[in-house]
Amino acid sequence: MVHIGYTLMSEQTPARQLVDYAVTAEQLGFDFAVISDHYFPWIEEMGHSPYAWSVLGAVAHATQRIPLMTYVTCPIMRYHPAVVAQKAATMGALSGGRFTLGLGSGENLNEHVIGEGWPPADTRHEMFREAIEIIKELFGGDYVTYHGEYFNVDSAKLYDRPDEQVPIGIAASGGRSAAIAAELGDVLVINDPMPEVVQQFNAAGGTGKPVYGQLPIAYDTDAEAAKERAHRLWRWSGVGGWKVMAELPGPVNFAAAASAVRPEDVAESVPCGADVDAVVQAVRKFADAGYTHVALVQIGADQQQPFFDWAKGSLLPALREI
């Protein structure tokens, strides 16, 4: 069975609404919830970007059952890995063990704000590995002193930790990152159905570990309105893959890069309208590729309640059959 989750999309939603949506997702029976951790929205039309960790604390208090996960946090620049470890351990304790720390090597969009520049990809991978090592050591509960090429930790210790260690999810897009995820992570995170990366992860020792993906959809009883909304708010996703998306520095750059993306281009990868079968078939692609968890993203903050109504009455029952 594929576990179906709900995405708290911070780039399009005010903080208090995100908490309300998490409560509703739990009540409707979604299996888990993930939250994006951004400083900027992808494009200006999305209009929001609250601090994900404050929202997570409120969500942990307002919910009882639903597992929570960052999707994903970058621990190499905007946050020092020792601080990420403390935040994650606190969330594990607050949520009663419901939290998974999803980690990724980040995007220039969110990390340039500290004024340190944006390292090349090879350097980011090296920084990312050091950051994960530091976080894992701190999760162990002992004092940690670490002197790496990129990070130093001076006699740090986490005093508030959950009873069971917080699982770590690691985002991957190719063989190198899949190997890091298999070695150091408890969960693999890949946005799109990429069976080759799942296979690389399994070959590197990740067999049996959960694999998380994410599916954007645009629910609306008017399919053309759904397609227009998906293009207006999600066209940034078609700018040329992660190697491009990780480098662009701001919403205006994503808008410029997406200027040639058409509504029909977005609709090729985003189910638009009220066709349950289209979403089922999209989720089935993840299942066939070896994914165990798929988090749905409803595009448009003003369309969440109609989506929830549809999910309760039609979508979730159909997805349970996969």
Side-chain angles (χ1 to χ4, degrees), residues 14-320:
R16 295 185 71 161
Q17 284 181 232
L18 288 169
V19 179
D20 292 341
Y21 294 159
V23 172
T24 301
E26 179 176 73
Q27 292 171 345
L28 293 183
F30 279 90
D31 297 318
F32 64 100
V34 302
I35 187 169
S36 52
D37 184 357
H38 270 234
Y39 199 92
F40 282 97
W42 294 101
I43 53 176
E44 292 291 345
E45 290 94 326
M46 297 182 87
H48 295 279
S49 199
Y51 184 54
W53 292 89
S54 296
V55 175
L56 276 169
V59 168
H61 184 70
T63 58
Q64 302 296 322
R65 171 196 60 81
I66 194 164
L68 306 170
M69 178 181 180
T70 48
Y71 199 100
V72 290
T73 284
C74 175
I76 67 170
M77 294 193 70
R78 185 166 41 119
Y79 307 137
H80 189 282
V83 176
V84 173
Q86 184 189 32
K87 295 192 291 189
T90 300
M91 265 303 301
L94 273 175
S95 65
R98 291 185 285 135
F99 179 67
T100 296
L101 174 62
L103 297 173
S105 56
E107 306 93 22
N108 192 10
L109 174 71
N110 301 304
E111 307 308 315
H112 77 269
V113 296
I114 64 170
E116 296 294 331
W118 184 233
D122 286 350
T123 301
R124 298 199 302 268
H125 277 102
E126 294 167 1
M127 296 173 71
F128 188 46
R129 185 182 184 90
E130 281 194 13
I132 298 168
E133 290 173 352
I134 290 167
I135 291 167
K136 286 178 71 71
E137 284 194 40
L138 285 166
F139 278 178
D142 295 329
Y143 280 97
V144 173
T145 295
Y146 184 101
H147 297 295
E149 184 175 353
Y150 302 101
F151 298 108
N152 291 305
V153 178
D154 181 13
S155 191
K157 178 184 170 86
L158 299 179
Y159 282 85
D160 289 272
R161 297 178 294 121
D163 293 336
E164 295 186 7
Q165 190 165 301
V166 172
I168 295 177
I170 297 178
S173 58
R176 182 176 180 181
S177 49
I180 294 174
E183 178 188 355
L184 300 177
D186 306 295
V187 172
L188 176 64
V189 178
I190 325 172
N191 271 0
D192 302 316
M194 298 177 69
E196 68 282 2
V197 180
V198 177
Q199 291 164 8
Q200 291 166 334
F201 174 71
N202 290 338
T207 301
K209 296 179 180 180
V211 180
Y212 281 63
Q214 190 176 60
L215 174 66
I217 66 176
Y219 167 74
D220 201 300
T221 53
D222 182 337
E224 287 303 312
K227 186 183 294 186
E228 182 280 327
R229 183 181 351 109
H231 177 257
R232 175 166 44 86
L233 297 177
W234 213 260
R235 65 189 186 277
W236 54 269
S237 65
V239 300
W242 202 253
K243 289 185 178 180
V244 175
M245 294 174 68
E247 305 299 333
L248 298 177
V252 64
N253 305 101
F254 275 90
S259 60
V261 176
R262 304 167 301 172
E264 54 266 35
D265 298 327
V266 178
E268 286 182 3
S269 59
V270 177
C272 296
D275 185 351
V276 169
D277 188 59
V279 180
V280 170
Q281 293 307 313
V283 171
R284 194 177 298 280
K285 290 180 181 179
F286 286 91
D288 292 344
Y291 290 64
T292 58
H293 295 67
V294 179
L296 305 181
V297 185
Q298 166 61 16
I299 299 172
D302 60 342
Q303 294 297 315
Q304 299 304 304
Q305 191 55 54
F307 164 75
F308 282 136
D309 294 339
W310 180 61
K312 178 182 179 180
S314 302
L315 182 60
L316 285 176
L319 290 173
R320 296 296 178 216

